[in-house]
Amino acid sequence: MPDAGCEEPESVAGACPRLRDTVPVRVLVVEDERRLAAAVKRGLEAEGFVVDLAHDGPTGLYLAREGGYDSVVLDIMLPGLSGYKICERLRAERNWVPVLILSAKDGEYDQADGLDLGADDYLTKPFSYVVLAARLRALLRRGAVPRPAVLRAGDLSLDPAARVVRRGSAVISLTAREFALLEYLLRRAGEVVPKAELLSHVWEATDEIADLNVVEVYAGYLRRKIDAPFGRHALRTVRGAGYLLAADGG
Ligand code: CA
């Protein structure tokens, strides 16, 4: 009678084949649509998971850092901080908790972006909880796999987790601000990025810097490190528009 164990409360975990793979693991679900979040929680709990919810980005990041979860499910569009950013920050802190991203079906976001930022898997909404549970189990079996999201443009690479920049095999030493500027430009490689955007993202609103010249100064510093010593020309000034980091590395 192979199914008898499923009826015995004391022996559920050990004897029920259906539940053997669902030994309770703790999952954090970060989803701002509360009804969907509650439904995901119920669905995953029915599959044997223990589920906590966060409804905004900063809370999600805090819990993901501090809560010791076995896996994290991230919506993308979240108040305060996107799912992408949460994932990126966790990986930058060398936190390799398995991350599954829930993406909208409208194609506004590219699933590849999430994987580039260090997510382990993604699922497109709408999804079934059975499929979500199966994907989570697969991630849990693999465990926490280091997934540093290394950014590349030709032979120029930046590893946000290890905080290492290389041109070919040569390691380039950058200051924190130069590193942040290069990281932002690499994420937008091949695109013209306005100076004002660089100023607001790399120097952040809290800094009392209202002078776009600081971007020019740091672009000059970067060139002296990532381009000039190698006879390259990756970081280009687009007159009147901003800067472009050549996607091929210059
Ligand atoms: Ca959302």
Side-chain angles (χ1 to χ4, degrees), residues 127-151:
F127 51 86
S128 98
Y129 305 123
V130 174
V131 171
L132 176 58
R135 295 284 195 90
L136 285 176
R137 281 189 205 105
L139 288 186
L140 291 161
R141 276 195 295 274
R142 268 160 49 194
V145 180
R147 282 194 57 101
V150 177
L151 304 167

Side-chain angles (χ1 to χ4, degrees), residues 121-201:
D121 200 1
Y122 62 88
L123 202 54
T124 304
K125 295 179 187 175
F127 51 86
S128 98
Y129 305 123
V130 174
V131 171
L132 176 58
R135 295 284 195 90
L136 285 176
R137 281 189 205 105
L139 288 186
L140 291 161
R141 276 195 295 274
R142 268 160 49 194
V145 180
R147 282 194 57 101
V150 177
L151 304 167
R152 294 180 199 282
D155 64 349
L156 184 64
S157 70
L158 179 149
D159 183 338
R163 300 198 71 75
V164 172
V165 173
R166 286 191 174 85
R167 175 68 95 171
S169 58
V171 174
I172 300 171
S173 176
L174 299 182
T175 65
R177 193 71 76 183
E178 292 163 354
F179 188 94
L181 178 59
L182 180 60
E183 181 174 358
Y184 196 84
L185 288 164
L186 270 168
R187 292 195 187 285
R188 301 279 301 275
E191 296 174 35
V192 178
V193 184
K195 282 184 203 172
E197 183 179 335
L198 291 167
L199 189 62
S200 67
H201 280 85

Side-chain angles (χ1 to χ4, degrees), residues 1-8 10-20:
M1 288 191 285
D3 289 330
C6 295
E7 308 300 320
E8 301 288 334
E10 307 92 285
S11 57
V12 160
C16 175
R18 194 174 64 82
L19 293 177
R20 188 168 292 148

Side-chain angles (χ1 to χ4, degrees), residues 84-98:
Y84 285 164
K85 284 287 175 196
I86 293 173
C87 187
E88 190 180 11
R89 292 201 189 176
L90 290 173
R91 298 322 189 213
E93 294 163 8
R94 296 176 163 273
N95 181 330
W96 310 119
V97 62

Side-chain angles (χ1 to χ4, degrees), residues 30-250:
V30 189
E31 167 63 69
D32 60 321
E33 293 167 52
R34 285 171 185 264
R35 288 177 62 180
L36 176 59
V40 170
K41 179 176 164 75
R42 281 195 303 276
L44 287 179
E45 283 175 348
E47 294 288 328
F49 293 90
V50 174
V51 180
D52 286 339
L53 296 178
H55 298 297
D56 63 75
T59 306
L61 178 61
Y62 173 79
L63 289 176
R65 279 171 170 159
E66 308 294 333
Y69 293 95
D70 299 297
S71 181
V72 176
V73 176
L74 293 175
D75 181 33
I76 294 172
M77 292 291 282
L78 291 164
L81 194 67
S82 75
Y84 285 164
K85 284 287 175 196
I86 293 173
C87 187
E88 190 180 11
R89 292 201 189 176
L90 290 173
R91 298 322 189 213
E93 294 163 8
R94 296 176 163 273
N95 181 330
W96 310 119
V97 62
V99 168
L100 185 148
I101 286 193
L102 299 176
S103 68
K105 205 172 186 175
D106 59 17
E108 185 183 357
Y109 290 89
D110 185 344
Q111 284 102 352
D113 288 346
L115 299 183
D116 282 350
L117 293 177
D120 299 277
D121 200 1
Y122 62 88
L123 202 54
T124 304
K125 295 179 187 175
F127 51 86
S128 98
Y129 305 123
V130 174
V131 171
L132 176 58
R135 295 284 195 90
L136 285 176
R137 281 189 205 105
L139 288 186
L140 291 161
R141 276 195 295 274
R142 268 160 49 194
V145 180
R147 282 194 57 101
V150 177
L151 304 167
R152 294 180 199 282
D155 64 349
L156 184 64
S157 70
L158 179 149
D159 183 338
R163 300 198 71 75
V164 172
V165 173
R166 286 191 174 85
R167 175 68 95 171
S169 58
V171 174
I172 300 171
S173 176
L174 299 182
T175 65
R177 193 71 76 183
E178 292 163 354
F179 188 94
L181 178 59
L182 180 60
E183 181 174 358
Y184 196 84
L185 288 164
L186 270 168
R187 292 195 187 285
R188 301 279 301 275
E191 296 174 35
V192 178
V193 184
K195 282 184 203 172
E197 183 179 335
L198 291 167
L199 189 62
S200 67
H201 280 85
V202 177
W203 278 264
E204 296 184 357
T206 52
D207 291 8
E208 292 175 1
I209 298 168
D211 188 352
L212 291 173
N213 288 331
V214 74
V215 181
E216 293 170 24
V217 169
Y218 274 82
Y221 293 161
L222 257 189
R223 285 199 182 102
R224 273 177 243 160
K225 293 186 175 179
I226 65 166
D227 278 344
F230 305 92
R232 306 290 280 274
H233 187 49
L235 181 51
R236 295 165 193 173
T237 304
V238 181
R239 209 164 285 281
Y243 290 97
L244 181 150
L245 190 86
D248 65 0

